[in-house]
């Protein structure tokens, strides 16, 4: 994975196509059927609101992952859009392995356009791999994104998952699909994860000095999936460049949470309190 702090070379992962906003016709919907209960959520108050929020789910998940958080934002008066990412939430098992970096940024850009039409001020919340897309939108659409909240952002893998010495070669070889795909114990496709990491590698070296006004990042101390340093460093750099407020929140250790800090079945009795915490961090 790319070490932003040490400015490790990002060639050949850099691509002009991943550093500009695609046109409105770039996003192509999945041709395969969607599994029941896993399609896009649109929560509308019936007209344009002062605020709208775009929620981007994590890799291998679907908008169902964000139902409780979406409901909390809606109760606070926001119009809410939680779109289904390409290849996710389908009847076809493992379809998420086919995602491409270009397809993911096209999906995110199209979703932001829809969300921005729903509110005077729009923000983005992203979970894990979805947080990479949320950050990409804040970087390349400073005209539209005013608030950013990233939950357990996957800008890079934890050292326990991928040793530092092989991060870059693995990201290049799997991200560019130069090696046959592999799956880890959780069913994650190396090719698919590589697409999200390619997007992270194409975040600007210097973030825009305008746009986002509030940035927050949340991590659990028990997270053994993401690089904790990057999880806070990238949002902090974005906030500093834009002159935005910044909140870096480490959840209490006694909650016993790991990487999944959003799914209701993982949060148990803490779900309501944590979702309220996330909304408050988003609102600044």
């Amino acid at each position: 994975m790319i070490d932003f702090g040490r400015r490790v070379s990002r060639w050949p992962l850099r691509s002009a196509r991943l550093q500009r906003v695609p046109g409105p016709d770039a996003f192509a919907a999945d041709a395969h059927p969607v599994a029941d209960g896993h399609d896009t959520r649109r929560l509308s108050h019936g007209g344009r609101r002062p605020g709208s929020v775009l929620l981007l789910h994590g890799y291998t998940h679907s908008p169902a992952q964000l139902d409780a958080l979406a409901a909390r934002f809606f109760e606070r008066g926001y119009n809410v859009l939680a779109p289904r990412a390409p290849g996710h939430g389908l009847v076809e098992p493992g379809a998420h392995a086919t995602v491409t970096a270009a397809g993911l940024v096209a999906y995110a850009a199209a979703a932001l356009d829809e969300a921005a039409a729903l509110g005077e001020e729009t923000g983005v919340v992203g979970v894990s791999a979805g947080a990479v897309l949320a950050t990409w939108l804040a970087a390349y659409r400073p005209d539209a994104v005013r608030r950013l909240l990233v939950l357990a952002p996957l800008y890079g893998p934890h050292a326990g998952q991928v040793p530092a010495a092989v991060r870059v070669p693995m990201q290049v070889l799997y991200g560019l699909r130069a090696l046959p795909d592999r799956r880890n114990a959780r069913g994650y496709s190396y090719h698919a994860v590589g697409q999200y990491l390619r997007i992270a590698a194409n975040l600007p070296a210097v973030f825009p000095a305008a746009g986002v006004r509030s940035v927050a990042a949340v991590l659990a101390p028990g997270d053994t999936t993401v690089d904790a340093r990057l999880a806070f460093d990238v949002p902090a750099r974005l906030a500093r460049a834009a002159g935005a407020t910044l909140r870096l929140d480490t959840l209490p250790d006694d909650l016993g949470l790991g990487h999944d800090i959003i799914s209701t079945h993982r949060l148990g009795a803490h779900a309501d309190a944590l979702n309220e915490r996330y909304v408050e961090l988003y609102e600044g």
Side-chain angles (χ1 to χ4, degrees), residues 2 7 9 22 33 68 72 75 87-88 93 134 174 200 212 216 247 260 265 269 282:
I2 303 311
R7 300 179 65 83
S9 171
R72 186 59 57 95
E75 290 165 2
H88 291 67
Y174 286 108
V212 67
R247 291 165 182 80
D260 190 346
H265 71 282
Y282 172 88

Side-chain angles (χ1 to χ4, degrees), residues 219-269:
L219 196 65
D223 193 327
T224 59
T225 296
V226 308
D227 183 320
R229 184 180 65 82
L230 288 177
F232 282 171
D233 179 66
V234 175
R237 290 196 304 109
L238 188 152
R240 284 196 300 270
T245 61
L246 174 67
R247 291 165 182 80
L248 302 176
D249 188 23
T250 301
L251 296 178
D253 188 59
D254 60 11
L255 294 179
L257 295 175
H259 182 56
D260 190 346
I261 58 173
I262 189 65
S263 299
T264 302
H265 71 282
R266 295 284 187 189
L267 304 185

Side-chain angles (χ1 to χ4, degrees), residues 2 29 36 38 74 78 84 103 116 157 179 214 231-233 256 258 266 271:
I2 303 311
D36 288 345
H38 291 279
F74 186 70
Y78 293 90
R84 182 185 57 80
L179 290 178
S214 173
F232 282 171
D233 179 66
R266 295 284 187 189

